[in-house]
Amino acid sequence: MNARILPYVLILPVTLFLCLFFLYPFILVAQQAFSTGSGFTLDNFRDVTSHWKFPISMKNTLLLAAAVVPIQLALALLMATMVSRMEKGRDLVLYIWTIPLGISDLAAGLIWLAIFEQSGFLNTMMSGLGVVDKPVNLLSYQHPGIVFLAIALAEIWRATAIMLVILVAGIGLIPKEYYEAAEVFGASPWKRFLRITLPMLRPSLQTALVLRVILAFEIFAVVAALGGTLFPVLMGETYAYQFDLLNGGAAAAIALIILAISIGFTLLILRLLRVPKGASI
Amino acid sequence: MAEIQIKNVAKTFGTYQALHDINLTIADQEFMVLLGASGCGKTTLLRIVAGLETATTGEIWIGGRRVDHLAPKDRGIAMVFQNYAVFPHMTVFENIGFGLRMQKLANDEVKRRVERTATLMHIEQLLNRYSGELSGGQRQRVAVARALAMEPDVILMDEPLSNLDALLRMEMRAELKGVLAESKTTAIYVTHDQVEAMSMADRISVMHQGKIVQAASPIEVYRNPAAEFVAGFIGNPPMNFLSATPAGNGKWTVAGETLDGPNATAPLQFAIRPEDMQLADTGLKATAKVVEPLGAHLLVTCDVNGTMIRAILDSDHKVKPGDVLTLAPQPDRVRWFDPQTTLAVA
Amino acid sequence: MTDAVAIDTGADTRKWGKYLYVSSVVLLCAWVIVPIYFLMINTLSSPETVSSFPKPFFPEFDLGSLKFFAGFAGMLTALKNSVLVAGMTMIMSILIGAPAGYALSRFEFRGKGTFRLLILLTRAFPLPLLALPLAVLFIRTGLDDTAFGLALVHTTLALPFAVLITFSLFSGIPIELEEAAWTLGCNRLTAFTKVVLPLILPGITASAIFAFVISWNEVFAAAVLTIENRTLTAFLLQNLDTSPLHLKFAGGFILVVPALIFIFVVRKYLFAMWGIANR
């Protein structure tokens, strides 16, 4: 076949598929969000934003992202640098550290439920140590802090691995000579990390952060498993509007709000971590 | 019989013109080397002959048959790649036999031809190995054997020795030349290594900026470069250039000296190879700047009226930096170039 | 004398640094493994133990919870649906995605940049949200509440990854190998099947498994798009409020097992995949 046409033939299936199942539904969401049956309107947005739960779920989602993402970034960087200088057992350690990558948010929520629930392992340990005399219902409205902590821990536990993988791959792309050169010039390990690893890792940091932040705004199942209705988040509200309230327009409006926040943060991250032209490896 | 004709071939990548109107005929059984610096278009030209690249305009004829609309497999060619392209998931035997199997030859014929070419390339003991278990030199041999096993009319080679170390390269150079002469195929060989080109070619096409500057026998290219580029590219160190002004009646003034030259009225470039100058009583006054003993010779870089030139002298001469030398160019080796066209002046 | 002391402290610091390093690695490994271990204890304990207090720190290897899980109405069907949807997603995303990955790695063509952007864009988008309008669309086309309909949405999720991963896999195969095959009597198709495909098969398998797990783990779209034919994640989510603890934990454990196998199988490719997809 003609080499000019062949590539288009090869990308045709994906393009058609994405137009049909990505672009088209996206347009439908937008349409649905901006209409209540008759013409263009912002009613849906007014409805959802004026609902008493909206500010709370917005605050919760952002707070959770703000608490979780920086810790994950620090943890992933720490783990990635540890792995990069590991000689023995590197494969095993990497395997263990990347296990959560394959675990769904729902399963992660259930795993941490086993720890935090009333007859769970945390209570068992605390009573074993004599901190409490009888099991406490930690995941209840009396302990909003602990609910938040449990959700944050489950998220950190589950989703650090994706950042780790991206960063390990990124560190692998940095030529060893730079470190050796820096060492010859007398840079301490900490300085080498600060002056070489971090700047050169910028493209990977971009990818990792964008992906992570977007996923953080989509948090849903972990919360459903651990907090239930105690801790409303945006994605959970979307689900509730769609199913419990059967209000598709409102669900679409929240969906667009989540999208807007995601795009806003993506642009912000790309801007903050931009790599000057010609300064890439 | 496989004469290759390249007729008016041009190639553009977007707005970049990689090849300008190339015309070249390669005789049956000739060993033609395309020589040039990287980016000169030599590999593009080879790939157009192979059919891996399509010419923007022009025609390719092989053995009297127009082939530029045929797929590579239908052109009667075989190719040796720069990185060998030995299939990693096949043994050496399967690699060499791959093309024969594609032609659906009988098993015993495949076996016979694989073993024959393997013996020819001295890899008969490696037939059951995989590519990962071979050294670079051995992979190179497999790649050549795989091409030869096809018994092609034309064999195309793209810098086949450039990934070998110097010693192995020299060894393979001689061996490849012998094997190809034996096989009676027409060969096009792309390289940037002038020593390889000089030592292997029947004819060299020197390429520069998408054009063939000169196509001639190695000694012709060396002695009578057709353009300043060829003179400066071939030879190590390359030819020396000094500007010359006409003094009338075929006399020229070069760095204050008067020399014989062609009849012309505009200034020319005087050119001489470093080994074609001797120490004498009259000649160019040159101040030695750097002296490099190379064993048999001395390579002396010196200043002539502000222009740096190099001379190769017998190492018996005692020369040290700062010495003023008198260098006499051998008259029949002097060449003249027109600075406007950069072409040689007869 | 002072020199000797200085050296000693240097060696000491290094020794302590080493201890610190090793113990941090071990600690971080425990951080990952211990929660999964707790879930396993719960799964391999009898339903009574699961809701009792205090908890044992070793499993009693009682299959009661798992038996209850298997016997719970609809659970096995949900499990079957999960496998079915994930299997279809795996096949569709590779069949549709791999040709595009090949095109990206081998051809320069007009619109390539735009195409790559579209692919990357889908990755930077809360995709499960698209399930909302599709729910309506599917009702109209009769795809609602079917495994195939959900697999279509999951394929949209998995496609960007399939394209980018196969793109990086194909880019790892030198084009010279294909060209050599062409000069040796192959056309594009035979060169692909005889040379590229055998070399790429392990990587393709890895990315297929990746697609499987994306679908296997997906909760939101599954919950939105299926009612009768719930997948395991959707089923568990729907029954979170009502189902007993041992059912939740057994279900969670069943969800986790493929993940353990998946990461083990694709561990070699995990980093190569992201290294290139980065750029």
Side-chain angles (χ1 to χ4, degrees):
Chain A
M1 196 180 296
N2 193 324
R4 218 177 292 252
I5 306 172
L6 187 58
Y8 294 106
V9 175
L10 292 174
I11 64 167
L12 189 68
V14 175
T15 316
L16 282 182
F17 197 94
L18 288 183
C19 283
L20 196 58
F21 294 103
F22 172 64
L23 287 180
Y24 180 58
F26 173 59
I27 295 165
L28 287 182
V29 174
Q31 251 176 11
Q32 211 178 4
F34 287 108
S35 73
T36 46
S38 56
F40 176 84
T41 171
L42 290 175
D43 283 355
N44 287 321
F45 289 91
R46 233 167 276 137
D47 276 1
V48 292
T49 49
S50 60
H51 191 268
W52 66 271
K53 256 181 151 177
F54 179 79
I56 304 172
S57 49
M58 177 70 115
K59 193 193 81 190
N60 282 344
T61 307
L62 291 177
L63 208 60
L64 204 55
V68 165
V69 176
I71 295 178
Q72 288 182 321
L73 180 64
L75 205 57
L77 271 172
L78 177 74
M79 289 159 102
T81 34
M82 282 171 113
V83 164
S84 74
R85 40 175 279 197
M86 195 176 290
E87 287 141 26
K88 265 186 298 183
R90 188 190 139 99
D91 285 352
L92 179 68
V93 169
L94 265 181
Y95 167 61
I96 291 171
W97 286 357
T98 49
I99 284 175
L101 188 64
I103 292 178
S104 73
D105 38 2
L106 182 61
L110 291 172
I111 285 172
W112 285 82
L113 182 66
I115 295 170
F116 277 93
E117 47 108 357
Q118 190 159 13
S119 61
F121 292 93
L122 186 61
N123 267 317
T124 304
M125 280 185 273
M126 286 200 302
S127 74
L129 293 170
V131 183
V132 291
D133 35 328
K134 65 180 174 58
V136 192
N137 185 4
L138 296 164
L139 298 173
S140 69
Y141 68 95
Q142 289 118 321
H143 307 283
I146 295 179
V147 173
F148 182 81
L149 183 73
I151 294 171
L153 279 176
E155 266 298 275
I156 293 168
W157 180 84
R158 179 183 74 89
T160 303
I162 184 73
M163 291 181 107
L164 173 69
V165 167
I166 296 172
L167 294 183
V168 168
I171 286 180
L173 290 176
I174 303 174
K176 289 274 170 292
E177 289 89 53
Y178 294 125
Y179 292 102
E180 288 161 3
E183 199 172 352
V184 170
F185 287 118
S188 64
W190 174 241
K191 279 266 184 256
R192 292 202 290 270
F193 174 76
L194 228 50
R195 294 294 177 81
I196 297 185
T197 311
L198 273 189
M200 294 217 143
L201 211 53
R202 255 183 311 203
S204 306
L205 287 173
Q206 264 183 4
T207 316
L209 273 175
V210 166
L211 205 65
R212 216 15 244 140
V213 167
I214 288 171
L215 291 174
F217 294 138
E218 290 177 41
I219 184 165
F220 172 61
V222 169
V223 176
L226 282 170
T229 48
L230 293 174
F231 193 84
V233 288
L234 288 176
M235 201 73 172
E237 289 311 288
T238 315
Y239 185 80
Y241 272 115
Q242 179 82 8
F243 282 99
D244 306 341
L245 305 170
L246 299 174
N247 186 345
I254 297 200
L256 281 196
I257 292 172
I258 297 177
L259 176 66
I261 303 174
S262 300
I263 291 176
F265 273 89
T266 302
L267 293 177
L268 186 70
I269 292 164
L270 292 179
R271 174 113 192 109
L272 288 177
L273 289 172
R274 71 180 181 284
V275 184
K277 229 182 165 188
S280 51
I281 304 172
Chain B
M1 285 299 288
E3 185 190 64
I4 304 170
Q5 286 174 295
I6 299 166
K7 294 183 184 172
N8 305 100
V9 164
K11 174 76 181 176
T12 47
F13 293 106
T15 56
Y16 173 71
Q17 181 129 27
L19 290 174
H20 300 262
D21 194 36
I22 301 280
N23 281 288
L24 188 66
T25 302
I26 299 148
D28 181 37
Q29 298 187 29
E30 187 177 21
F31 194 120
M32 169 63 84
V33 170
L34 303 181
L35 175 66
S38 63
C40 73
K42 56 189 193 299
T43 296
T44 306
L45 184 57
L46 186 82
R47 289 169 60 85
I48 288 174
V49 174
L52 298 174
E53 207 91 63
T54 320
T56 311
T57 58
E59 299 172 7
I60 305 288
W61 293 68
I62 295 176
R65 193 165 62 113
R66 186 171 170 188
V67 297
D68 47 271
H69 294 299
L70 300 180
K73 70 186 173 70
D74 301 321
R75 295 190 177 199
I77 54 140
M79 188 156 167
V80 180
F81 291 82
Q82 182 169 13
N83 299 310
Y84 320 136
V86 173
F87 302 131
H89 58 301
M90 299 178 195
T91 62
V92 169
F93 186 99
E94 287 161 349
N95 261 286
I96 301 176
F98 184 81
L100 308 174
R101 293 245 186 258
M102 293 308 296
Q103 291 178 354
K104 305 219 178 337
L105 294 186
N107 269 340
D108 45 338
E109 172 67 3
V110 172
K111 192 164 183 295
R112 193 183 63 77
R113 269 158 77 165
V114 169
E115 278 168 0
R116 193 176 57 79
T117 38
T119 313
L120 195 66
M121 295 309 296
H122 309 295
I123 46 172
E124 66 272 21
Q125 73 287 1
L126 302 176
L127 285 175
N128 291 320
R129 301 259 186 100
Y130 283 92
S131 156
E133 306 166 289
L134 303 178
S135 69
Q138 289 169 332
R139 261 177 243 180
Q140 175 60 63
R141 286 165 186 278
V142 174
V144 175
R146 188 173 64 183
L148 289 175
M150 300 287 285
E151 295 176 4
D153 300 328
V154 172
I155 188 161
L156 307 171
M157 287 171 277
D158 183 10
E159 309 237 13
L161 304 182
S162 64
N163 285 336
L164 302 180
D165 63 53
L167 209 62
L168 208 56
R169 193 152 57 210
M170 212 153 77
E171 190 187 309
M172 278 299 289
R173 208 162 68 201
E175 208 176 311
L176 208 54
K177 189 177 177 176
V179 168
L180 285 173
E182 192 100 341
S183 70
K184 298 196 186 338
T185 51
T186 312
I188 305 183
Y189 185 106
V190 163
T191 183
H192 64 270
D193 182 336
Q194 45 167 307
V195 181
E196 232 168 82
M198 297 293 279
S199 66
M200 297 177 87
D202 292 327
R203 229 157 27 113
I204 298 177
S205 294
V206 182
M207 294 187 65
H208 181 51
Q209 293 180 345
K211 293 183 183 124
I212 293 179
V213 189
Q214 186 173 14
S217 69
I219 195 67
E220 178 73 7
V221 168
Y222 189 76
R223 285 283 177 240
N224 295 315
E228 268 184 46
F229 172 77
V230 180
F233 187 72
I234 308 251
N236 187 19
M239 237 172 169
N240 295 306
F241 293 98
L242 290 167
S243 19
T245 46
N249 289 335
K251 297 286 179 197
W252 293 82
T253 310
V254 179
E257 285 299 306
T258 305
L259 297 168
D260 288 332
N263 273 315
T265 50
L268 292 179
Q269 285 284 93
F270 159 93
I272 185 79
R273 292 223 172 262
E275 69 270 27
D276 294 336
M277 291 183 289
Q278 275 80 41
L279 289 179
D281 298 332
T282 59
L284 304 166
K285 298 283 175 292
T287 314
K289 293 288 182 193
V290 182
V291 180
E292 298 166 76
L294 302 174
H297 304 286
L298 281 184
L299 176 60
V300 186
T301 306
C302 35
D303 180 338
V304 176
N305 254 10
T307 308
M308 287 296 172
I309 69 166
R310 293 197 190 84
I312 292 177
L313 304 175
D314 198 282
S315 48
D316 290 341
H317 296 295
K318 297 275 174 281
V319 182
K320 55 184 192 304
D323 289 356
V324 177
L325 312 173
T326 307
L327 294 170
Q330 202 177 313
D332 61 326
R333 292 284 164 84
V334 174
R335 297 292 176 265
W336 301 86
F337 293 93
D338 184 336
Q340 308 293 275
T341 63
T342 78
L343 297 179
V345 177
Chain C
M1 189 61 205
T2 44
D3 277 4
V5 173
I7 289 164
D8 261 353
T9 37
D12 254 18
T13 336
R14 218 166 304 136
K15 213 161 120 192
W16 279 111
K18 179 105 184 138
Y19 283 140
L20 186 69
Y21 173 70
V22 171
S23 48
S24 327
V25 170
V26 171
L27 199 69
L28 284 167
C29 287
W31 154 253
V32 172
I33 291 175
V34 170
I36 299 178
Y37 175 70
F38 285 158
L39 183 69
M40 194 186 80
I41 295 176
N42 273 339
T43 310
L44 295 178
S45 301
S46 61
E48 298 71 41
T49 320
V50 171
S51 26
S52 71
F53 186 87
K55 276 277 157 61
F57 282 93
F58 298 98
E60 47 185 10
F61 296 104
D62 181 301
L63 295 180
S65 289
L66 281 172
K67 271 200 197 110
F68 184 84
F69 171 85
F72 195 83
M75 199 56 103
L76 282 185
T77 325
L79 186 61
K80 193 197 81 196
N81 281 334
S82 267
V83 174
L84 194 65
V85 172
M88 285 196 274
T89 303
M90 172 170 99
I91 293 166
M92 283 197 286
S93 53
I94 291 302
L95 283 185
I96 297 173
Y102 182 78
L104 282 179
S105 85
R106 287 295 191 254
F107 297 97
E108 287 305 321
F109 55 92
R110 199 188 275 270
K112 186 174 173 175
T114 321
F115 180 71
R116 275 198 74 168
L117 199 69
L118 176 74
I119 298 291
L120 289 173
L121 206 71
T122 54
R123 207 173 66 170
F125 191 91
L127 280 173
L129 294 180
L130 298 179
L132 300 177
L134 283 175
V136 183
L137 192 71
F138 281 179
I139 290 173
R140 253 183 269 154
T141 49
L143 282 172
D144 59 309
D145 202 13
T146 60
F148 181 65
L150 182 57
L152 285 174
V153 177
H154 284 175
T155 305
T156 314
L157 280 173
L159 257 186
F161 291 95
V163 173
L164 292 172
I165 293 166
T166 51
F167 163 56
S168 92
L169 289 171
F170 284 125
S171 301
I173 308 283
I175 188 149
E176 253 192 8
L177 289 181
E178 262 180 280
E179 291 178 341
W182 299 342
T183 65
L184 290 167
C186 288
N187 57 32
R188 261 191 192 278
L189 187 67
T190 48
F192 183 82
T193 54
K194 287 198 185 299
V195 175
V196 179
L197 204 58
L199 290 172
I200 212 122
L201 214 52
I204 291 277
T205 315
S207 51
I209 296 173
F210 195 68
F212 186 96
V213 168
I214 287 179
S215 165
W216 176 263
N217 282 344
E218 205 283 326
V219 183
F220 191 89
V224 170
L225 287 173
T226 58
I227 299 155
E228 293 295 317
N229 291 309
R230 289 265 187 231
T231 62
L232 188 54
T233 49
F235 193 90
L236 286 172
L237 182 79
Q238 194 192 27
N239 295 308
L240 269 181
D241 303 334
T242 51
S243 54
L245 279 174
H246 51 271
L247 187 68
K248 288 186 195 177
F249 294 140
F253 190 72
I254 301 292
L255 278 179
V256 167
V257 171
L260 298 178
I261 302 167
F262 152 69
I263 296 294
F264 187 76
V265 173
V266 304
R267 67 197 186 289
K268 242 174 64 192
Y269 294 92
L270 226 42
F271 299 94
M273 269 157 23
W274 284 100
I276 308 272
N278 245 334
R279 301 188 163 170

